[in-house]
Amino acid sequence: MAAQVGFPWWGVALMSSLVHAGSSQIVAVEQFADSAAVVGAAFAGAALNLRYIGIIASLTEVLSGLSLRAKLLVIHITGDENWALTMSQRAKDPQIGVRFLIGSGLVMITVWTISTTLGAFVGSTLPNLEKFGLGFAFTAAFIAMARGLWRGHANLVPWIASFAVTIGLVTLGIPKAYAIVAGAISGLAVSHILRDRRKRAL
């Protein structure tokens, strides 16, 4: 995608290593393709990455004892996939911690940077890969992560609320990045309300 809208290969490599957020990079590239607006691309990526406030907050126990510099490094190499994998492994074995998160994160950022850079070399010569269904790869990854994070029926109502709001806003023409943020906030709000009701019932 980046190569097809005129990104140089080194620009792709730089973005993958410094930003290291595939979904945000795709949104940013789409923004560049539509308008070439740097501010719009940056804002869209930032909006989509607001979810990392919750993701990193959930790692408080894992990151305890590290220096600020070490924490910032770990946060940089933390993505949806290795975070979800770490949390699912910790649910089975509480001894799984920061070493697992760092190891999986280093593998992920290395493979991501190398593969996206190589992709930039050949991307401009390829046809539109969407027609082969490769655009579903990110959706499939998030479905797999959601399955790993499923904790039973207590998740059902907040997840449905989040999906409904996101899909509804996208259908209305709201930019995807903002729709995702709104959906996440809606899911959190519903979860909070249900938790309060359960506490009062007790």
Side-chain angles (χ1 to χ4, degrees):
M1 288 175 63
Q4 289 171 349
V5 298
F7 262 57
W9 69 267
W10 57 265
V12 174
L14 198 61
M15 184 165 63
S16 291
S17 59
L18 296 181
V19 178
H20 184 45
S23 54
S24 296
Q25 288 176 246
I26 289 175
V27 169
V29 169
E30 288 176 343
Q31 290 288 319
F32 278 124
D34 291 339
S35 62
V38 175
V39 174
F43 189 71
L48 189 58
N49 269 351
L50 285 176
R51 70 187 186 282
Y52 278 100
I53 295 174
I55 286 175
I56 301 305
S58 71
L59 292 173
T60 300
E61 185 178 343
V62 175
L63 300 179
S64 63
L66 297 181
S67 66
L68 177 60
R69 181 179 297 179
K71 286 180 180 178
L72 292 175
L73 175 62
V74 175
I75 288 170
H76 177 63
I77 62 175
T78 297
D80 297 296
E81 293 82 4
N82 68 320
W83 166 76
L85 187 60
T86 299
M87 298 307 283
S88 64
Q89 291 299 311
R90 277 179 63 79
K92 301 173 186 175
D93 180 5
Q95 297 300 315
I96 299 294
V98 70
R99 292 184 179 182
F100 186 94
L101 182 66
I102 291 173
S104 56
L106 288 174
V107 170
M108 198 166 68
I109 191 172
T110 301
V111 172
W112 179 254
T113 302
I114 292 173
S115 59
T116 51
T117 303
L118 291 174
F121 277 112
V122 300
S124 58
T125 64
L126 295 176
N128 184 359
L129 297 179
E130 289 291 333
K131 67 181 181 181
F132 298 107
L134 294 183
F136 187 70
F138 270 100
T139 305
F142 278 101
I143 290 173
M145 285 188 291
R147 178 63 187 89
L149 294 172
W150 177 258
R151 294 293 178 267
H153 294 296
N155 293 142
L156 188 59
V157 175
W159 285 24
I160 288 175
S162 181
F163 294 156
V165 170
T166 303
I167 293 171
L169 291 177
V170 170
T171 303
L172 292 173
I174 303 298
K176 295 175 185 176
Y178 308 130
I180 291 171
V181 173
I185 292 172
S186 300
L188 288 170
V190 170
S191 179
H192 179 71
I193 292 169
L194 293 176
R195 190 178 296 115
D196 279 351
R197 287 183 179 177
R198 284 195 294 268
K199 287 181 179 178
R200 289 172 187 170
L202 295 175

